[in-house]
Amino acid sequence: MTDTPTPQDAHQAGPVHGDPQDARPPLRRSREQKVVSGVCGGLGRFFDVDPVIFRVVLGVLAVSGGLGLILYGFAWLLIPLEGEEENEARRMLSGRVEGPALTAVLCALVGCGLFLSMLNNSAVMSFALMLTAALAGASYWSHHRHEPGGEAAVSAAQKVHKAQKTAAPPPETKAPPAPGGPSWWRDPIIKDGTTGPIGAGTGYLWGPDDGPQAAEERAPLRLRPAPAVTPLGGTPLGGWTFLVAVVALALGTGLSWRHQPLGTCLEIGLACALAVFGLGMTVSSRYGRTGGGTVVAAVLTALLLAGAAALPKSVSTQWTHSTWRPETVAAVRDEYRVGSGVGELDLTGLPWQRGGTVSTRAEVGAGQLKLTVPDDVTARITMDVGVGDIRLPGEARDDVDVRPEQKKHVTLEPQAGKPSRGTLEIRLKVGIGQVEVDRASS
């Protein structure tokens, strides 16, 4: 006697690879376990992991470099909702731009802005990448841990499927449905455009009228009024979102203005504004609506945040004008620095010792750095300008060549007929601005 395997035996045996009936359901965003868009719920069901773990890890990644927002935004765009086959990205490409898709794009943009602002922080980036790798590894292990371990399980499952396919009877053959009513033959159209005998009301050669539906179809075509366009529901939140974002920008920048470099202040303020835009669009996807202006403002804010992250950290928020005139070799400092403003280093009054060497460096974050050396001193100058201009002795003042990443190594020899009193080795660095070197008679 052969026992017929039951579905319970098949469940204990595990899934069989290659059989579409036992294949796992595709990755979809959940409708039940949904907080914002159901991404974490769908990931938890697909990888057999508690969705809370995904929410906690993505939240930590969001505040530590923005990587969590990037991953969540792209998952929202690329993973379809449960019961659907079309994702939000495909809807956007087809021209159907809706609130969820805009919110997902903004979420990814906010994450990209935060990620760019934290590129200089290697510790935070390393932590975020290690946590992402750990989550990916745990999800992969959990997804594959229930795979079948032997041939017995596969054989039992195959027997169950074979029994089910054998027991299932084929569908019964049914007769085609009867026509709903008699089919009448119409008279040919005669010269005056009417049908049937002249004066006939039905237009048929014989037979009863088809009823009110046919009479309605034979009635002359009348224009129907267009259906009224229903306005979009929800309270408009674009204006309030913009105002709150401006306030967040002002507060974030103002509170850090006196204690942080200019780039960091702008990063804090723009990150706060971008977070407000993201929160506003998330809220509007459920309880209100925002227009395209909010999306444009969010994109511009993200671009400004990326530009603020690229500003040199040496640029300060206070504009100053500093002049240094050391009178002895011992008074020459190892470094002269100005955050934002103008720095002038005048070495014409320095008592040079023949054969001696003076080494120093000067830096300006944003502004102008001017060096003045005697004409009987050998000057070996290394100049580094992030974005700006370099002006050497003999060049006209209107000869301005602004370029990024300018680096020059020049050696200025004493004028003809004058012996060298000494050697100056100096490094000049400007983040944004101009380096000017000038000669003065000793």
Side-chain angles (χ1 to χ4, degrees):
M1 180 176 181
T2 303
D3 295 334
T4 303
T6 61
Q8 184 178 3
D9 299 332
H11 177 72
Q12 294 175 355
V16 179
H17 291 281
D19 194 340
Q21 293 184 358
D22 276 348
R24 290 197 178 188
L27 178 59
R28 293 291 186 269
R29 290 185 285 121
S30 176
R31 291 182 181 270
E32 292 79 14
Q33 298 180 354
K34 180 177 179 182
V35 175
V36 178
S37 66
V39 170
C40 295
L43 292 175
R45 180 180 56 191
F46 183 77
F47 291 106
D48 195 15
V49 178
D50 191 343
V52 177
I53 296 178
F54 284 99
R55 294 189 182 105
V56 172
V57 174
L58 290 178
V60 173
L61 291 175
V63 299
S64 59
L67 190 58
L69 292 175
I70 298 176
L71 296 176
Y72 195 91
F74 279 102
W76 192 347
L77 284 173
L78 300 178
I79 301 177
L81 190 61
E82 184 179 2
E84 299 180 2
E85 294 297 331
E86 192 175 38
N87 55 25
E88 300 295 341
R90 188 171 180 180
R91 289 192 181 96
M92 291 187 64
L93 294 177
S94 62
R96 290 173 291 171
V97 181
E98 300 175 353
L102 294 178
T103 308
V105 171
L106 183 61
C107 183
L109 287 175
V110 172
C112 290
L114 295 177
F115 184 79
L116 292 174
S117 65
M118 297 297 292
L119 283 179
N120 296 328
N121 195 332
S122 59
V124 175
M125 289 292 99
S126 300
F127 169 76
L129 294 178
M130 291 177 60
L131 186 58
T132 304
L135 179 63
S139 302
Y140 180 82
W141 173 82
S142 179
H143 183 67
H144 293 279
R145 63 178 174 172
H146 294 303
E147 290 184 349
E151 296 180 356
V154 177
S155 177
Q158 290 177 347
K159 291 180 179 179
V160 171
H161 295 317
K162 185 176 181 180
Q164 290 178 349
K165 292 178 180 178
T166 305
E172 297 180 359
T173 305
K174 297 181 179 181
S183 176
W184 303 103
W185 175 76
R186 293 179 180 273
D187 270 344
I189 301 177
I190 57 180
K191 293 182 179 181
D192 61 351
T194 61
T195 58
I198 299 177
T202 62
Y204 294 99
L205 180 61
W206 67 80
D209 196 359
D210 288 340
Q213 182 178 359
E216 183 179 355
E217 292 178 355
R218 292 193 304 271
L221 181 62
R222 289 174 292 183
L223 295 178
R224 298 180 180 179
V229 179
T230 305
L232 293 176
T235 305
L237 302 177
W240 288 106
T241 302
F242 181 77
L243 291 178
V244 176
V246 171
V247 173
L249 171 63
L251 287 176
T253 305
L255 293 176
S256 58
W257 187 260
R258 296 182 177 274
H259 311 289
Q260 300 291 339
L262 178 62
T264 305
C265 296
L266 294 177
E267 288 178 37
I268 295 174
L270 291 171
C272 293
L274 204 55
V276 170
F277 280 124
L279 181 62
M281 295 193 68
T282 303
V283 173
S284 67
S285 64
R286 284 178 168 267
Y287 305 106
R289 57 186 174 87
T290 55
T294 304
V295 179
V296 173
V299 173
L300 292 178
T301 305
L303 295 177
L304 291 175
L305 180 58
L311 285 177
K313 298 303 179 183
S314 58
V315 179
S316 63
T317 57
Q318 303 294 328
W319 187 272
T320 59
H321 192 148
S322 302
T323 302
W324 307 289
R325 292 189 178 92
E327 298 179 356
T328 61
V329 176
V332 178
R333 293 185 284 181
D334 294 335
E335 184 179 16
Y336 298 91
R337 182 186 295 270
V338 172
S340 298
V342 179
E344 296 184 16
L345 179 58
D346 188 358
L347 300 177
T348 56
L350 195 66
W352 295 88
Q353 298 178 359
R354 190 172 298 276
T357 301
V358 176
S359 300
T360 185
R361 60 172 295 169
E363 180 179 355
V364 172
Q368 184 185 36
L369 177 59
K370 184 177 181 180
L371 172 66
T372 305
V373 296
D375 56 0
D376 55 354
V377 172
T378 301
R380 299 171 183 169
I381 307 173
T382 301
M383 291 168 284
D384 185 359
V385 179
V387 179
D389 175 48
I390 295 177
R391 182 183 299 165
L392 298 175
E395 295 182 358
R397 290 194 170 272
D398 56 353
D399 185 10
V400 179
D401 183 15
V402 178
R403 288 182 299 170
E405 298 297 333
Q406 294 197 60
K407 295 183 179 181
K408 282 188 177 182
H409 302 274
V410 297
T411 299
L412 301 180
E413 300 292 344
Q415 291 186 357
K418 291 186 178 182
S420 176
R421 288 195 299 154
T423 302
L424 171 66
E425 294 182 353
I426 187 171
R427 178 181 178 86
L428 306 178
K429 184 177 181 180
V430 174
I432 303 174
Q434 182 188 56
V435 170
E436 180 179 353
V437 180
D438 195 10
R439 284 281 202 180
S441 59
S442 57

